[in-house]
Amino acid sequence: MPDPYPAFVFGMHDRGAEHLMLDKGKRGWVLVTEALGADPNNGSGSNYTDLASQGLGVIARLNHGYGSAGTIPLSSQYSAFARRCGNFVQASPGCSVWIIGNEMNLAAERPGGAAGQAITPELYATCFRLCRNEIRSRPGHAGDQVVVGAVGPWNTQTRYTGNLRGDWVRYLADILSLLGEEVDAIALHTYSHGQSPDLVFDNTKMDPPYQAYHWHFRAYRDFMAAIPQALRNRPVYITEADQYGAWHDQNSGWVRNAYQEIDTWSRQPGQQPIQALILYRWIVGNPHDPQEVGWAISNKPGVQADLCDAMNNNYAVVRPSTQPEYLVAWLEVAAPTRMEPGVTTTCTVKLRNDGRQTWANSGTAAVRLGQRWLDAQGAAVEGRRTSLPGPVPPGGTITVNAQVQAPATPGFYTLYLDLVEGTAGWFADQGSPPGVARTRSAPATLSSGSTSSHPPGARSMSCARCRPGCATPGP
């Protein structure tokens, strides 16, 4: 699988502008859009190695078709379309970033056109999931990025239960919520309503009921704010940016301002960086359509000069970390399998910090080893908490001798071991799997045994059942 990331955030929709980036020594992005149809027996593909071999990042947008053909097909064809996507990916060297569909909330992008099947978040999530599974099941593509298609800003045409206004930001949020961890990356579109370069920085908001949303280029910020916290480590690509109408053939500074805006955003501490700003678009498209001619940059040397001036800056890609902030590897858990009711014993636990945050052992954000007992009926009982003997940096290991007290009531219990930051910041609530031990509390001679734990990255289905006690401070 090729490295998907070039050095810089500069980019162009369509082939043809590579020389502008390469001549400036700024290897950026090229987005290619493909119409695949839904024939599951079609094994054809495209070759992107000419781009990738020059250090350019390649993003391929996979559409069922354009216009009334639908950016994704009718729901009855989702499985066939997914198979076609898998076949195409397998036959297309040089790319590992694949967008599924485009502006799904626009009526014109529905299969059948405006009167066709509306692409609700539920339908899109179903189609996306099938496509992602097909793509990542193909040899050499298990680590590919399958990207959520960009939502059309300011469009209210797709309305559904829970979003009767057709709120475009809510539409994206609902898709991301439905897909959860299956989101590899996110595509966005943003524009200014006009050619003035000042509109890139303009904070004008819309009229009610959308008064919380930006009317110009900073509409991207509304989408960014809708990304769930659990997906804030995912790559974000702005795959279309323009002046909403025809480009003026002049070096106005609009392009320079757009790249400055995105670089400023990405450099702010705590912000989710944006990996690409791709200008729409290079080719003329239909030469008989004045709108498509207006969008083209290949026939506008003034806009090209603006891009070249923007590339005098080193606006770099910020490679996202796919490693979560909170992740425990349970290397060894020596817990008893049988205990006297109410008896306390020592449990030796060896841990590795597989997350991105150092585990502090002092202060208000100190990390401690906590315990929760779950009885046969699913009721949770909070156990003791044990301080760490020292701070643990990412990749570091530590051994904790935890004092474990059996429940006073005899019975069969599941002991969940988890780290907690502060008083209530349980790691399991951040997606880190707990250590699990099966223990019987009954009058008997204490015996020792070892337990198994869930592998890193796996979630315990029963963990959610013990969460009612998660926020209760320990002794």
Side-chain angles (χ1 to χ4, degrees), residues 144-158:
D144 282 14
Q145 292 179 16
V146 184
V147 185
V148 172
V151 172
W154 311 301
N155 183 281
T156 62
Q157 293 173 326
T158 299

Side-chain angles (χ1 to χ4, degrees), residues 194-236:
Q195 289 81 12
S196 170
D198 293 336
L199 295 178
V200 170
F201 308 130
D202 192 285
N203 281 317
T204 298
K205 300 295 181 66
M206 300 182 66
D207 293 333
Y210 305 108
Q211 63 270 22
Y213 296 153
H214 293 80
W215 179 233
H216 292 295
F217 187 86
R218 284 183 171 171
Y220 78 89
R221 297 189 177 191
D222 304 327
F223 286 131
M224 296 296 287
I227 298 174
Q229 188 65 40
L231 300 179
R232 294 290 172 91
N233 63 344
R234 298 306 200 268
V236 175

Side-chain angles (χ1 to χ4, degrees), residues 174-190:
D174 287 345
I175 288 173
L176 298 179
S177 177
L178 287 166
L179 290 173
E181 292 295 316
E182 293 175 285
V183 173
D184 299 319
I186 302 162
L188 304 178
H189 289 173
T190 196

Side-chain angles (χ1 to χ4, degrees), residues 238-423:
I238 295 179
T239 54
E240 282 189 19
D242 61 38
Q243 300 169 346
Y244 207 67
W247 288 97
H248 279 187
D249 185 13
Q250 57 185 251
N251 186 351
S252 68
W254 190 98
V255 176
R256 295 195 296 279
N257 283 0
Y259 281 106
Q260 178 187 333
E261 166 73 11
I262 295 306
D263 182 71
T264 300
W265 167 273
S266 296
R267 288 180 182 273
Q268 295 179 40
Q271 296 284 35
Q272 185 171 9
I274 293 171
Q275 308 302 326
L277 176 63
I278 295 174
L279 302 180
Y280 186 84
R281 64 182 304 180
W282 181 253
I283 65 174
V284 172
N286 181 358
H288 304 294
D289 185 334
Q291 188 176 47
E292 292 201 28
V293 173
W295 278 328
I297 296 174
S298 61
N299 59 353
K300 298 181 178 66
V303 180
Q304 296 175 36
D306 200 355
L307 172 59
C308 290
D309 286 347
M311 289 190 289
N312 290 330
N313 300 284
N314 292 321
Y315 296 148
V317 164
V318 180
R319 292 173 178 249
S321 172
T322 56
Q323 197 71 1
E325 291 189 47
Y326 300 92
L327 184 61
V328 183
W330 301 90
L331 304 180
E332 179 183 343
V333 181
T337 57
R338 188 181 184 97
M339 297 180 66
E340 291 279 351
V343 165
T344 299
T345 189
T346 300
C347 175
T348 301
V349 182
K350 186 177 181 180
L351 312 169
R352 184 178 66 237
N353 183 354
D354 279 358
R356 291 187 284 119
Q357 296 290 333
T358 295
W359 300 342
N361 70 323
S362 61
T364 58
V367 174
R368 291 187 291 169
L369 178 64
Q371 308 159 27
R372 287 171 289 183
W373 293 93
L374 197 69
D375 67 17
Q377 285 71 46
V381 178
E382 185 82 17
R384 297 187 176 188
R385 298 185 184 180
T386 305
S387 298
L388 303 183
V392 187
T397 60
I398 197 167
T399 299
V400 181
N401 293 317
Q403 296 298 300
V404 177
Q405 184 175 20
T409 303
F412 290 93
Y413 293 86
T414 301
L415 172 63
Y416 286 88
L417 299 174
D418 193 12
L419 295 183
V420 57
E421 183 178 54
T423 59

